Amino acid sequence: MIKRLKMKKCILVFVLIISLFSCKTTTIVPEKKPLFEVLLEQNDGGGNINFYEILTEPKEIKMLQNDEKLKKRISTDDLQQSNFVILNMGEKPTGGYSITVDSVTETENNIIIKVKEVNPEPGAMLTQSISYPYTVIKINSKKPIRVQ
C-alpha cells in the first residue's frame, strides 16, 4: 500500500515537471489596426474654405508630423502604410460647428469616407467669435480614398 502511494506521488511529480518544462508552441497573431483613427478634431484652427485634403505621399504626411498636436500620433511606419485626410469646414460665424467622420468603408478597390458636418442647435449658447472647425484622420490603408 505504501509503495503504491509513493509510486503515485513519483508519477504525479514527474507529470508536473514535464508539464512545466514542456515546449509550447505559440503563434503570434499580428494586431489588426482599425480601418481609421480620428487623430485630431478641433473647433478652431482650420482653413478659411470648406475642403477635404487627402495626403498620400510621405512628403505631405511629414508636414503633419511638424504639427505639435499631431507629431506624437504619427509614426515613421505611417508614412509608408497609411494615408491621412484633413477635413476643413471653412469659416463659421460662431462656435458650435464641427466636422467629423460619419463612416469609413473599405471596398475591394478603395476607401470611402462619409463626412458629417454638425451645425449648432437653434437657440444654443455659442461663442460669438468666428471659428474654423477641422478634423484630421488616419486611414490605415494605402488604397485610393473617396470623400463623400
Side-chain angles (χ1 to χ4, degrees):
M1 183 85 165
I2 295 177
K3 281 187 173 186
R4 277 187 160 180
L5 284 173
K6 284 185 179 182
M7 184 117 159
K8 284 183 181 182
K9 284 183 183 179
C10 285
I11 291 173
L12 181 61
V13 168
F14 179 74
V15 169
L16 283 173
I17 290 173
I18 294 296
S19 65
L20 285 173
F21 295 106
S22 66
C23 295
K24 293 184 180 181
T25 56
T26 57
T27 53
I28 299 173
V29 178
E31 184 180 324
K32 182 158 172 62
K33 291 183 177 182
L35 182 56
F36 78 99
E37 299 171 55
V38 175
L39 298 182
L40 184 64
E41 191 170 336
Q42 298 280 291
N43 292 328
D44 203 26
N48 290 343
I49 60 172
N50 186 316
F51 70 93
Y52 311 134
E53 184 174 1
I54 300 168
L55 307 175
T56 59
E57 297 298 318
K59 288 180 185 177
E60 297 171 320
I61 297 167
K62 277 192 172 280
M63 291 182 351
L64 289 178
Q65 288 180 308
N66 293 330
D67 186 290
E68 283 297 316
K69 296 173 186 168
L70 292 171
K71 69 181 177 182
K72 292 181 181 176
R73 307 221 43 211
I74 301 172
S75 71
T76 53
D77 290 341
D78 291 335
L79 299 175
Q80 302 301 322
Q81 300 171 359
S82 302
N83 288 325
F84 294 81
V85 181
I86 301 172
L87 308 171
N88 273 288
M89 198 169 183
E91 183 179 304
K92 298 299 172 193
T94 65
Y97 292 87
S98 65
I99 187 166
T100 190
V101 177
D102 191 36
S103 67
V104 177
T105 309
E106 182 174 18
T107 68
E108 186 177 325
N109 300 319
N110 55 29
I111 305 290
I112 301 167
I113 301 172
K114 291 187 179 177
V115 175
K116 182 178 181 182
E117 293 186 0
V118 179
N119 297 322
E121 294 291 324
M125 297 288 287
L126 305 170
T127 60
Q128 296 301 309
S129 61
I130 295 173
S131 63
Y132 302 88
Y134 74 103
T135 297
V136 179
I137 60 173
K138 176 172 86 168
I139 305 294
N140 291 312
S141 170
K142 283 304 229 179
K143 288 183 180 180
I145 296 172
R146 290 187 328 180
V147 180
Q148 300 178 340

